[in-house]
Amino acid sequence: MAWITKNSAGAHIERQSEPYLNDEMKQELTPVVDRYPRRQAASLPLLHAMQEKVGWLPPQAIEEIADFLEVPASEVMDTASFYEEFWLKPKGKYVIWLCQSISCEIMGEPSLTDRVAEFLDIQVGETTPDGKFTLMKVECLGYCGDAPCGLINEDIQQKITPDNFIEVLKNLD
Amino acid sequence: MALEQPVLTKRIPTEPWGRHEDRHYVDYNEYVKTGGYQALDKALQMDRTAVIDEIKAAEIRGRGGAGFPAGMKWSFLPPVDGGRRFLAINADESEPATFKDRLLIDYDPHQVVEGIAICMYACQLDTAYFYMRGEYHDQRAILERAFKEAYDNGIFGPNSRLGQINGRNPDLFLHRGAGAYVCGEETGLLNSLEGKRGWPRIKPPFPAVAGAFARPTIVNNVETLACVPHVMENGPDWFKTLGKGRPEGAPPHVPASFGTKLIGVSGPVVRPDVYEEHLGVKMSYCIEELAGGMLPGMEFKAAIPGGISMGVLTKDEYDAPLDFDIGKPYGILGLGTACITVIPEGYSMISCARNLARFYARESCGQCTPCREGTEWLYKILTRIEAGDGTTKDLDLLLEVASSMGIMPGTTICGLSDGANWAVRTIVNKFWDEFEAAVKKNRFVSLSVANNNN
């Protein structure tokens, strides 16, 4: 639910002296910004790039992106908080997204989710204490013909059976 | 009558013409060798307005769900004023049960790229943004490769064979979304493209007049653009031999169903996959012949014919023809994306409705109150009924809430809640007995459910 506002008033922002958006990254991303007639339009590509590098989107990184795009930080925060794929808090090393939409549910997603949650000993939306796995449920991933499906970070898993999937998870380091 | 020759899947092996195991990425050279980019060359010889006239004459209707005639959309653009004009390709494909555009992106992206180039030439659009949903990670590398091949071979960039458009070199860029269903709505997509939250805009102005960056913009679905080269190559008359055509006795201004359609079949069937058939093909044919019928031991109960927003078809409507006129006679919203989800006997329609309602509650962007609150409310009511805690009054409430949100009752900006409205309402109306039985059940059931969960 993208529209639920997150309580951030009074939140302490952790800062580091080294910028997240360093000169090298800026140079790399300048051609991407130039693709658009307005700098703000590069928000999504920049947030994607930042998340790929850092793993999530720290508030300081959002401020730096906003400076680079010459818009207020609140604008970039507004965008980042709207989209499901952007992480405003740290996540596990492996994020498991299990599709819960209609085709996957018919093909056995509920029992799959239960098995995975039991194996990882966490609830949906939580991260394991060692920071290795985060379990998420997500709406349609577009692999309905290969239901049930899921993503482990960026790798699509198709026609999952609980046993095979747990085997895959066991083999991740 | 079954389709004789594949059109959109010409280079993508698909049953019955090929085996889907043989599918592979068709690169630029292979695409050209099999007749690719000839349609673009043919279009470049023609006058720009003549190209638009051809597309108009072919009556290609948008394949993204709404079915708006593409040629007409193209002709809505205002005259060139020297400023920039954009094309946005809608590959957001987030509608549950829809996975047809991914087939084109995965295996034959040049077909889409050729359609993009023709559209940019005809409508004088200088920059195209390929808006693809963020969850398509593998497809990112595929598209980047295809776009690079297109640049290297003079489709786009400084050496483009389109020449300069609006005083600029034509460009095609990939823009990735980040997981929001509402960005598939054309104005939501434009806001997302501008780096804002994907809130749909109030129309008018329509995107053709003031779209991305407040400039004239065309938004087309991937499959629609993939049809364009075939029309240019073979002519509108050929295109009109495909598909069901105009409803019988209808005057020529009534929109018709011409061409072929990619049809995805998912659920408990033998070969769930994307197939190509004439528009107007019977749903039973898709399930039985193309997808190989139901899995052993499974029986057909109902099907959602075109993405979940369209509503549901029952066993009595098994032979429904999948064309743009499916809506009225079968009491559903329309053809949608023509991707069928089969629901087997034994799966509760209440669970089904609950699943669909949860989708809309989760994906509502929150801009309009009836949708933001209504979708969540529907989900709560359905969860309650599923748990055995529902009352007869809940069913009335459910229908009342559902029918008061959407563009059609006139309470929201975009069609997201029309989807929720139709999905839930058709299921409840067509499976009334099942819902009625559920609300009349002994109410102690829910307590036992609650106890088991603790």
Side-chain angles (χ1 to χ4, degrees):
Chain A
M1 277 163 269
W3 43 268
I4 285 194
T5 49
K6 288 150 190 125
N7 184 11
S8 57
H12 172 70
I13 296 181
E14 296 221 357
R15 293 188 185 277
Q16 60 177 50
S17 52
E18 194 71 18
Y20 286 102
L21 191 69
N22 53 28
D23 291 339
E24 189 193 340
M25 213 172 156
K26 276 183 186 166
Q27 208 171 359
E28 216 172 278
L29 289 167
T30 301
V32 176
V33 178
D34 291 343
R35 290 175 180 180
Y36 304 95
R38 289 186 202 152
R39 289 181 78 83
Q40 190 191 357
S43 297
L44 257 65
L46 257 70
L47 290 168
H48 272 303
M50 182 57 72
Q51 185 159 290
E52 255 164 49
K53 187 186 157 206
V54 185
W56 63 293
L57 297 168
Q60 189 187 333
I62 288 181
E63 283 176 3
E64 286 165 12
I65 289 174
D67 281 345
F68 184 54
L69 295 180
E70 296 161 14
V71 289
S74 57
E75 292 272 344
V76 179
M77 189 64 192
D78 184 65
T79 303
S81 61
F82 182 79
Y83 296 93
E84 199 170 0
E85 268 182 54
F86 292 135
W87 288 80
L88 298 175
K89 54 180 203 276
K91 58 180 166 53
K93 186 178 173 193
Y94 297 101
V95 182
I96 302 160
W97 305 89
L98 294 174
C99 175
Q100 59 176 349
S101 282
I102 187 74
S103 301
C104 290
E105 181 170 317
I106 292 174
M107 300 304 280
E109 172 273 328
S111 59
L112 171 71
T113 309
D114 288 349
R115 278 285 303 277
V116 174
E118 192 188 337
F119 170 70
L120 298 174
D121 199 17
I122 50 173
Q123 301 275 320
V124 174
E126 291 179 352
T127 304
T128 50
D130 59 358
K132 194 169 167 189
F133 293 108
T134 302
L135 179 60
M136 298 297 286
K137 282 223 248 183
V138 69
E139 295 295 350
C140 193
L141 291 172
Y143 284 80
C144 315
D146 304 303
C149 64
L151 283 170
I152 299 179
N153 285 347
E154 299 196 348
D155 295 327
I156 187 78
Q157 311 286 318
Q158 302 166 43
K159 295 199 165 109
I160 304 172
T161 60
D163 293 328
N164 292 352
F165 193 67
I166 284 169
E167 240 1 85
V168 171
L169 294 184
K170 275 182 186 161
N171 292 331
L172 292 172
D173 45 41
Chain B
M1 191 183 68
L3 186 64
E4 280 164 19
Q5 288 288 324
V7 180
L8 296 172
T9 55
K10 201 167 111 181
R11 299 175 188 85
I12 311 169
T14 301
E15 281 90 359
W17 305 282
R19 283 150 26 96
H20 75 269
E21 291 87 355
D22 301 333
R23 285 178 184 170
H24 61 280
Y25 171 79
V26 177
D27 66 6
Y28 180 83
N29 292 333
E30 190 184 343
Y31 185 73
V32 170
K33 238 181 257 165
T34 48
Y37 287 114
Q38 282 175 9
L40 176 63
D41 291 336
K42 189 177 165 192
L44 293 177
Q45 305 295 320
M46 292 163 63
D47 199 44
R48 293 176 198 271
T49 47
V51 177
I52 299 182
D53 287 342
E54 290 265 286
I55 301 302
K56 248 182 169 172
E59 298 185 41
I60 307 179
R61 290 176 70 177
R63 262 52 172 169
F68 192 81
M72 206 186 292
K73 205 183 229 181
W74 292 12
S75 60
F76 283 161
L77 282 167
V80 180
D81 57 4
R84 299 186 68 176
R85 291 146 72 99
F86 303 100
L87 172 64
I89 299 98
N90 189 344
D92 195 57
E93 202 171 52
S94 308
E95 178 86 23
T98 302
F99 52 112
K100 63 179 179 67
D101 294 342
R102 186 169 56 80
L103 181 86
L104 297 171
I105 296 170
D106 267 343
Y107 302 110
D108 198 3
H110 280 289
Q111 192 179 183
V112 185
V113 171
E114 187 174 2
I116 293 168
I118 294 171
C119 177
M120 287 170 79
Y121 168 75
C123 302
Q124 306 201 47
L125 312 170
D126 50 85
T127 310
Y129 297 104
F130 200 105
Y131 189 100
M132 187 172 69
R133 63 180 304 193
E135 288 90 339
Y136 281 178
H137 295 289
D138 297 347
Q139 285 70 19
R140 176 184 169 193
I142 295 170
L143 280 184
E144 273 167 2
R145 178 177 166 192
F147 291 178
K148 189 176 178 300
E149 286 170 352
Y151 270 89
D152 291 348
N153 290 287
I155 309 294
F156 303 106
N159 309 317
S160 170
R161 54 180 103 156
L162 306 178
Q164 288 218 326
I165 299 175
N166 301 334
R168 309 178 67 94
N169 297 320
D171 272 318
L172 169 63
F173 300 120
L174 178 63
H175 185 97
R176 289 167 67 220
Y181 169 66
V182 77
C183 293
E185 202 277 344
E186 59 178 1
T187 51
L189 184 149
L190 296 176
N191 267 347
S192 181
L193 182 66
E194 290 183 11
K196 301 170 186 162
R197 49 174 57 208
W199 273 5
R201 301 172 184 172
I202 295 173
K203 286 157 276 185
F206 288 95
V209 178
F213 312 104
R215 294 292 307 162
T217 307
I218 294 286
V219 186
N220 272 151
N221 179 258
V222 171
E223 194 188 340
T224 315
L225 287 166
C227 290
V228 168
H230 298 286
V231 173
M232 287 314 301
E233 208 175 326
N234 303 311
D237 292 331
W238 164 84
F239 191 75
K240 285 174 138 179
T241 61
L242 305 168
K244 193 183 177 197
R246 218 174 294 284
E248 228 166 279
H253 61 82
V254 172
S257 306
F258 292 118
T260 61
K261 183 83 191 71
L262 295 180
I263 293 167
V265 189
S266 61
V269 290
V270 176
R271 286 192 305 268
D273 204 348
V274 181
Y275 300 95
E276 188 179 12
E277 255 304 334
H278 286 291
L279 268 169
V281 65
K282 283 183 177 158
M283 185 173 77
S284 52
Y285 178 84
C286 300
I287 294 171
E288 271 161 25
E289 302 295 324
L290 299 177
M294 302 293 289
L295 283 174
M298 293 282 191
E299 215 184 305
F300 179 89
K301 179 176 186 182
I304 298 169
I308 62 169
S309 301
M310 295 302 129
V312 68
L313 293 176
T314 61
K315 216 171 187 173
D316 298 338
E317 297 158 332
Y318 192 41
D319 281 331
L322 299 174
D323 59 48
F324 287 109
D325 304 310
I326 191 175
K328 258 196 186 149
Y330 293 93
I332 59 174
L333 188 52
L335 177 67
T337 55
C339 286
I340 306 163
T341 308
V342 178
I343 298 164
E345 203 66 68
Y347 182 75
S348 152
M349 292 314 283
I350 302 165
S351 308
C352 177
R354 187 256 309 138
N355 183 302
L356 308 191
R358 187 202 48 221
F359 174 78
Y360 294 105
R362 198 174 150 138
E363 297 294 343
S364 172
C365 76
Q367 201 177 185
C368 315
T369 312
C371 173
R372 182 186 63 233
E373 302 300 326
T375 49
E376 186 70 23
W377 198 356
L378 291 181
Y379 175 47
K380 280 182 185 161
I381 297 171
L382 285 161
T383 312
R384 191 155 75 217
I385 296 175
E386 193 188 21
D389 231 356
T391 59
T392 323
K393 218 174 154 190
D394 277 339
L395 286 185
D396 296 335
L397 182 63
L398 189 70
L399 291 175
E400 195 193 325
V401 172
S403 52
S404 60
M405 56 195 220
I407 298 182
M408 282 173 218
T411 53
T412 59
I413 293 173
C414 84
L416 187 142
S417 52
D418 286 278
N421 170 351
W422 281 79
V424 170
R425 237 159 18 105
T426 57
I427 293 178
V428 176
N429 285 331
K430 291 187 179 180
F431 292 87
W432 182 259
D433 293 347
E434 210 175 316
F435 281 82
E436 206 171 32
V439 294
K440 282 187 175 160
K441 250 196 317 200
N442 191 325
R443 296 191 58 195
F444 289 113
V445 174
S446 67
L447 292 176
S448 69
V449 170
N451 287 339
N452 283 343
N453 284 345
N454 285 331

